[in-house]
Amino acid sequence: MPAPTLIFDRSQPGRRGTQVRSAGHQPDGTAGLPAQLVRADSLPLPEVDETTLVRHYVKLSQINYGVDTGFYPLGSCTMKYNPKVTEATSMLPGFANIHPTQPAATVPGLMRLIYELQVWLSDICGMAATSLQPAAGAQGEFAGMLVFRKYFEQRGETARRVMIVPDSAHGTNPASAHLSGFEVAEVDCVNHGGVMTLELLEDVISTHGADRIAGIMLTNPSTLGIFEKNIVAVAERLHDVGAQLYYDGANLNALLGLTRPGDMGFDLVHLNLHKTFSTPHGGGGPGSGPIGVREHLAEFLPYPLAARSGDGYAWHKPEHSIGRIKLHHGQFLVLVRAWAYIRMLGPDGLRRVAEHAILNANYVQAKLKHAYQIPYADRHCMHEFVASADGFKDYDIHAKDIAKALLNDGFHAPTCYFPLIVHEALMIEPTETESLETLDKFIAAMLRYAELAKTDPEQLKRLENLAVTHLDETQAARQLNARWIPPANTASAAEAK
Amino acid sequence: MTFIPHTPAQRAQMLAAIGAEKLEDLLDTIPPELRLNRDLNVPPALGEAGLARATAELANHNAIPLNRVFAGGGIYPHHVPAVVDELSHRGEFYTAYTPYQPEVSQGMLQCIYEYQSYICLLTGMEVSNASGYDGGTVLADAVLMAALTGRGKRNKVIFAPNVDAQARRVVETYNIGMELELVKVATGDATPDGQCPIAAHLDEHTACVVFQYPNCLGYLYADLAQRIAEVHAAGALAVVMFYPFAAGLLKTPGELGADIVCGEAQCLGNPMGFGGPLLGFLACREKLVRVLPGRLIGRTSCERDGQPGEGFVMTLQAREQHIRREKATSNICSNEALLALRSCIYLGAVGREGFRQLAAICHDNALKAQAQLTALDGVSACRDQQFFNEFTLKFPSGKRDEIYDAALAQGMLAGIKPCGCADPELKNCLTFAFTEVHTDEDIAALTALVKEVL
């Protein structure tokens, strides 16, 4: 089949779909509406029966790869198994069918859930308070930047407008800082092993002036999957000049119950509940990006927060809150899943998650380190590591070829070409929910590619199992086709009569 | 339960392969002084049965049935067809991530392409992004788009009367970094005949005017197209925050001249969920595509089973943060793909005629309810304007909260209290919303309750 069939292509004029209301009640609908605003024709939505609809989307699901399909070692994204019981919990009508304007006093259980999650996440991160408002990791970063900004404004330190961002950081970091009105000072960590050294820090402080530095955005473990030991010294130096430390929580899965960003000296943390706390990634969302802060920043958090009030709970707006970052009460049904996940694992289970995420990553690293270049493979990695395909460039084999070969063999690819520190990077995060059998199959495939790269690179590039290949990204950008356009004559059968 | 599959023997085997004796050995890169030498302060672990018991305690026991929720304000008690839950819960969809690898993500890529097509149909726009967080954040995105288009010369954003207060709060928060001039046209400025007086505020510094259609009290500006023409005459852009269900009966914002259309699409097959996750949509004219934030899916040529064919990819990524970093049009990375997929399934399920009929039922129910409620002594319409499925009523002084509380006691949500408006008369008002879940009996029950309190 050369072209995909859209749901619109399956439409038959006059065909009816799912009946929501019984046939009895069919008002004309246009009475009582301004004549200038009433539409003449119905919108050309598809006309399909429910059987056709179901088969259409089942077919589409069958050409989509998820964690439920197979191994998904997408570094920095923590594609762990999503428990079915947490899904079922989130669909309970007592959670799913509640209107957001219902007063807090009439939904004590929901308020308790939000309150408890705030408290638990604070302890997990070593923070004093947590707001569950941000909708996703990037919005958590943005909210965090605004908290810093308001904090400095409150202190009269309005000159602090420089945010230090390593060039090895994820692109959302500089974008979030910029959107918050900070001047981004990118530091060349790429050519210094991806590490924020004290020397680099001194350079950037003296370049911009100690009293202009607002803070730094870092993650630990670093983007190489290595625990940064000098974090305490970096934190001390920045606090000395009056700056704040932001922790990007993308890599928190490695730390659960072992160590905490707060103990390392960070002032503010954002979390990705869809990574560490196993809420599904949903094909690209919904995520959830709570932020935790130390005591001195608590009054700046985005509202509303759940707070104790007598025997129950009430909504609370911190005194100097940056404001509302999204509608209503955060990604509530995502919060339910995270709450249920933590409740099932308990303190012991959370620590075991981190330990086994680290075990799995080290096992794969140990098995691959002789076939791929892996920076710092002499050390134990944390929950992920970065392998390089740079050794195969003489054979015209690149990271993307390894990635596509993995797809061809039924795996998902690692994160490719990130971090930029490593040429031809393949960032591998196995997560704790993968079995030894799965890891061994992946390792065997990766070792086979390393061999094929040298002996038969053309064979490695053959993608015989993939139905769709060689998608033309240049054409997609140059001749934008981003929607189906209805044919000119679209009057529905009902109206044609 | 931890979902960790290793047996003790396998763990030992793996440690041996690494050259370690115990798990603790792998943690040697964490300085001892940073180790947490206590358990995390979370409750002990539960099995599935225990979890079911714990959640049953928290989920609202006396959840108000959908047909007794008469509240909207962006989040509506629409019926979600069973087929939506069934299909969106296929693991291949909901356990996937952003379709970075198009070869194994054609399913989700096509769904989002269909979603973009649906949003363009519903809004009358030419390009839609792959979704945003919610109706508030996409309004902030839309305002930022207008400011980027104004290239620093146009930094004023005008809110027409009665734009959702929460969404405006979100824009204010985003504006901490943008530092645009936000101007709200006072509610009292609205003329009795439903005209929307923005002309006095328009000038050469105006980046955009934001309209809500229908507005936050539920009402329709009959002359919206003329107002938009005035905005264009001043060289500014018209941003319309839209309730997409209204497109079943009403002209799309695009047909009225809008340049950017955004809003909340929870109504298209998603649960209310106490307000999250929601589905923000954002669409615009094609000439604005370079400032449109977020993911965008495009159709392109490819090889299918070795033959020339077509498929889908993420496109125009040069606008995005992972390429442009601090110069990107936004910091957005993830979106609300799963809710976007649900909206596709929903619109396909109800279909062309079904969607029109559902909109007609919503509107008809609202007409019936307004007629019955305003027939009661002391109850009057807040505005003498026409509406789609939501309207605002004024009650005798002091009676508003009494009605609202009495309704809650009877397991009914009697509208929402209009908020964020300086207009003191709104303190005696409730905004009611009606959908296809409401029957004549439900409307009669609401009317009886109001009558009883009065």
Side-chain angles (χ1 to χ4, degrees):
Chain A
M1 196 195 305
T5 307
L6 300 173
I7 191 70
F8 304 98
D9 300 326
R10 302 188 191 277
S11 184
Q12 280 296 328
R15 186 172 273 162
R16 294 298 303 271
T18 306
Q19 293 288 304
V20 173
R21 277 292 290 261
S22 44
H25 183 195
Q26 290 190 358
D28 156 64
T30 54
L33 290 173
Q36 306 97 296
L37 296 181
V38 173
R39 52 177 323 107
D41 189 7
S42 55
L43 285 173
L45 302 182
E47 299 173 84
V48 295
D49 56 289
E50 198 170 300
T51 316
T52 301
L53 181 84
V54 167
R55 290 185 184 151
H56 179 77
Y57 288 105
V58 167
K59 279 201 185 83
L60 290 184
S61 76
Q62 289 165 338
I63 51 171
N64 209 61
Y65 193 100
V67 175
D68 284 0
T69 315
F71 188 47
Y72 212 131
L74 194 65
S76 191
C77 295
T78 315
M79 301 301 290
K80 61 168 86 173
Y81 175 68
N82 305 133
K84 303 308 155 195
V85 65
T86 60
E87 281 306 294
T89 304
S90 74
M91 290 175 74
L92 292 173
F95 293 134
N97 289 347
I98 308 297
H99 193 276
T101 61
Q102 216 181 302
T106 66
V107 286
L110 281 67
M111 296 297 292
R112 188 177 129 196
L113 186 150
I114 292 170
Y115 179 81
E116 288 183 349
L117 191 57
Q118 289 171 183
V119 171
W120 299 344
L121 294 179
S122 295
D123 190 58
I124 287 167
C125 295
M127 294 286 139
T130 296
S131 167
L132 306 178
Q133 277 302 103
Q139 211 196 22
E141 292 179 18
F142 175 47
M145 290 296 102
L146 292 179
V147 164
F148 283 172
R149 194 176 148 134
K150 281 282 222 185
Y151 168 74
F152 286 124
E153 279 174 10
Q154 187 69 23
R155 291 169 60 91
E157 299 180 68
T158 49
R160 291 198 183 271
R161 282 293 164 81
V162 176
M163 188 58 59
I164 306 170
V165 182
D167 57 357
S168 54
H170 193 273
T172 52
N173 284 183
S176 298
H178 176 76
L179 194 60
S180 315
F182 285 111
E183 186 186 321
V184 175
E186 259 201 352
V187 176
D188 175 14
C189 295
V190 166
N191 294 313
H192 296 81
V195 179
M196 179 56 71
T197 63
L198 285 170
E199 291 72 34
L200 288 169
L201 193 58
E202 286 311 327
D203 276 357
V204 70
I205 291 172
S206 62
T207 304
H208 294 275
D211 52 356
R212 290 194 66 232
I213 305 289
I216 193 168
M217 301 181 83
L218 283 178
T219 184
N220 193 17
S222 73
T223 46
L224 287 176
I226 301 289
F227 193 90
E228 294 286 2
K229 291 185 168 133
N230 63 352
I231 185 61
V232 175
V234 167
E236 273 173 13
R237 180 66 188 118
L238 280 162
H239 284 150
D240 274 353
V241 302
Q244 298 284 294
L245 279 88
Y246 174 92
Y247 179 83
D248 182 322
N251 297 338
L252 192 78
N253 208 44
L255 306 185
L256 291 173
L258 300 178
T259 179
R260 308 183 302 173
D263 301 335
M264 299 173 205
F266 286 96
D267 301 287
L268 190 151
V269 173
H270 101 259
L271 299 175
N272 300 91
L273 297 186
H274 50 290
K275 296 180 182 175
T276 315
F277 297 96
S278 199
T279 73
H281 286 66
S288 177
I291 55 173
V293 293
R294 290 159 86 139
E295 196 64 50
H296 65 285
L297 298 174
E299 286 304 320
F300 299 88
L301 284 171
Y303 75 92
L305 278 75
R308 294 304 290 258
S309 167
D311 292 340
Y313 303 89
W315 292 119
H316 169 66
K317 181 178 176 180
E319 191 184 351
H320 305 297
S321 173
I322 59 164
R324 184 176 265 295
I325 193 98
K326 84 177 284 304
L327 302 180
H328 304 294
H329 320 126
Q331 304 278 51
F332 179 71
L333 298 180
V334 179
L335 306 179
V336 171
R337 293 172 174 95
W339 181 94
Y341 179 74
I342 293 172
R343 203 72 187 78
M344 289 190 84
L345 269 68
D348 218 41
L350 290 175
R351 196 185 58 252
R352 282 162 50 86
V353 162
E355 289 168 350
H356 286 79
I358 293 169
L359 172 68
N360 281 3
N362 276 286
Y363 178 72
V364 178
Q365 174 176 272
K367 293 281 188 174
L368 294 186
K369 69 180 174 190
H370 301 299
Y372 291 81
Q373 296 171 8
I374 298 175
Y376 309 110
D378 53 326
R379 301 183 201 169
H380 291 131
C381 64
M382 295 295 282
H383 66 307
E384 65 188 357
F385 65 94
V386 180
S388 169
D390 209 30
F392 310 128
K393 65 181 174 208
D394 291 347
Y395 311 96
D396 195 28
I397 291 294
H398 302 275
K400 72 171 189 321
D401 299 311
I402 304 289
K404 302 299 179 194
L406 282 166
L407 303 179
N408 189 56
D409 284 336
F411 302 98
H412 199 277
T415 297
C416 301
Y417 300 103
F418 182 84
L420 307 170
I421 312 154
V422 178
H423 292 294
E424 302 291 341
L426 293 159
M427 189 186 207
I428 299 169
E429 179 180 13
T431 84
E432 74 284 1
T433 58
E434 295 300 333
S435 68
L436 177 58
E437 294 87 330
T438 300
L439 299 180
D440 279 341
K441 279 184 196 139
F442 173 76
I443 290 161
M446 289 292 283
L447 294 177
R448 194 168 64 246
Y449 308 148
E451 191 57 36
L452 270 181
K454 295 170 187 165
T455 57
D456 191 355
E458 286 315 303
Q459 175 60 29
L460 181 56
K461 287 183 182 179
R462 233 163 264 147
L463 304 176
E464 286 155 347
N465 301 330
L466 295 175
V468 175
T469 56
H470 300 91
L471 289 128
D472 189 342
E473 297 192 1
T474 310
Q475 181 197 328
R478 287 203 182 141
Q479 301 164 35
L480 184 67
N481 173 349
R483 64 168 170 148
W484 170 84
I485 298 175
N489 182 10
T490 60
S492 68
E495 281 143 9
K497 272 183 231 157
Chain B
M1 281 178 75
T2 54
F3 309 96
I4 296 167
H6 302 327
T7 65
Q10 287 180 320
R11 195 157 39 234
Q13 181 193 336
M14 293 170 76
L15 284 167
I18 299 166
E21 277 179 27
K22 50 191 189 304
L23 282 174
E24 186 60 33
D25 297 347
L26 304 180
L27 310 178
D28 57 2
T29 59
I30 308 176
E33 65 274 18
L34 293 183
R35 287 293 296 277
L36 180 71
N37 292 312
R38 65 161 171 85
D39 276 348
L40 288 170
N41 247 325
V42 301
L46 293 174
E48 280 210 16
L51 180 69
R53 209 162 40 239
T55 43
E57 211 179 292
L58 298 190
N60 230 21
H61 306 293
N62 308 312
I64 299 175
L66 278 191
N67 61 321
R68 294 300 164 99
V69 174
F70 301 102
I75 319 293
Y76 298 87
H78 287 289
H79 174 78
V80 177
V83 70
V84 177
D85 279 333
E86 176 78 19
L87 290 171
S88 67
H89 268 93
R90 290 187 64 85
E92 300 92 331
F93 285 138
Y94 83 83
T95 70
Y97 203 11
T98 307
Y100 295 115
Q101 298 290 347
E103 292 86 351
V104 294
S105 310
Q106 285 298 304
M108 200 49 151
L109 285 162
Q110 180 172 334
C111 290
I112 298 172
Y113 180 88
E114 290 183 0
Y115 162 83
Q116 293 172 179
S117 307
Y118 276 122
I119 293 299
C120 287
L121 289 176
L122 294 169
T123 58
M125 292 289 102
E126 289 153 2
V127 55
S128 159
N129 75 6
S131 73
Y133 304 136
D134 70 24
T137 68
V138 289
L139 181 60
D141 290 333
V143 163
L144 180 60
M145 286 173 71
L148 284 170
T149 307
R151 292 172 188 278
K153 296 188 185 74
R154 291 175 174 269
N155 286 322
K156 183 160 132 183
V157 176
I158 299 172
F159 291 96
N162 301 313
V163 172
D164 182 76
Q166 272 203 10
R168 278 191 288 111
R169 294 289 100 79
V170 175
V171 177
E172 284 164 14
T173 305
Y174 273 67
N175 193 43
I176 294 173
M178 297 192 277
E179 300 185 272
L180 304 170
E181 182 193 355
L182 305 181
V183 178
K184 178 177 171 287
V185 180
T187 320
D189 293 357
T191 55
D193 60 346
Q195 293 228 337
C196 171
I198 42 135
H201 301 270
L202 282 168
D203 59 22
E204 73 275 18
H205 302 299
T206 306
C208 66
V209 177
V210 177
F211 300 92
Q212 192 177 0
Y213 169 48
N215 71 29
C216 70
L217 298 176
Y219 296 106
L220 297 163
Y221 293 118
D223 59 349
L224 185 55
Q226 290 95 297
R227 299 295 143 221
I228 289 175
E230 281 173 19
V231 174
H232 288 161
L237 296 177
V239 174
V240 176
M241 195 177 165
F242 183 51
Y243 171 37
F245 224 84
L249 290 180
L250 298 175
K251 285 183 180 159
T252 63
E255 289 172 287
L256 303 175
D259 302 288
I260 303 172
V261 183
C262 62
E264 175 51 53
Q266 169 272 336
C267 57
L268 305 176
N270 294 293
M272 298 188 289
F274 203 37
L278 299 174
L279 174 57
F281 64 91
L282 179 60
C284 62
R285 302 283 178 197
E286 190 150 358
K287 65 180 181 197
L288 299 175
V289 68
R290 299 280 158 183
V291 293
L292 178 69
R295 308 281 186 198
L296 188 63
I297 308 305
R299 188 167 172 158
T300 190
S301 58
C302 68
E303 278 182 26
R304 273 187 181 257
D305 300 318
Q307 303 296 315
E310 285 181 40
F312 303 93
V313 289
M314 293 201 285
T315 192
L316 298 188
Q317 295 191 67
R319 303 164 301 128
E320 293 188 54
Q321 39 73 24
H322 58 285
I323 309 281
R324 292 263 287 168
R325 303 181 74 84
E326 77 267 21
K327 294 185 190 70
T329 50
S330 91
N331 69 335
I332 292 174
C333 187
S334 72
N335 51 42
E336 306 290 299
L338 192 66
L339 284 81
L341 164 66
R342 291 175 64 98
S343 72
C344 289
I345 300 166
Y346 178 82
L347 288 165
V350 300
R352 179 173 192 156
E353 188 54 21
F355 188 62
R356 195 198 67 80
Q357 279 183 8
L358 287 173
I361 293 170
C362 294
H363 175 58
D364 192 54
N365 279 339
L367 282 178
K368 283 186 208 164
Q370 148 127 333
Q372 290 180 29
L373 287 163
T374 54
L376 301 174
D377 276 346
V379 183
S380 59
C382 171
R383 297 272 190 277
D384 183 22
Q385 279 173 255
Q386 291 174 305
F387 51 84
F388 169 56
N389 74 328
E390 203 164 7
F391 55 81
T392 302
L393 297 182
K394 195 155 71 177
F395 298 96
S397 184
K399 287 287 179 193
R400 192 267 302 262
D401 290 353
E402 224 179 296
I403 291 167
Y404 188 85
D405 294 343
L408 275 176
Q410 290 192 22
M412 205 185 276
L413 191 60
I416 56 179
K417 300 175 183 180
C419 65
C421 296
D423 192 347
E425 71 168 336
L426 291 175
K427 291 189 174 22
N428 293 318
C429 290
L430 287 170
T431 303
F432 295 92
F434 296 85
T435 75
E436 75 289 345
V437 302
H438 300 114
T439 63
D440 290 349
E441 293 75 49
D442 298 320
I443 295 167
L446 174 65
T447 311
L449 175 119
V450 173
K451 191 176 175 191
E452 201 181 300
V453 174
L454 293 176

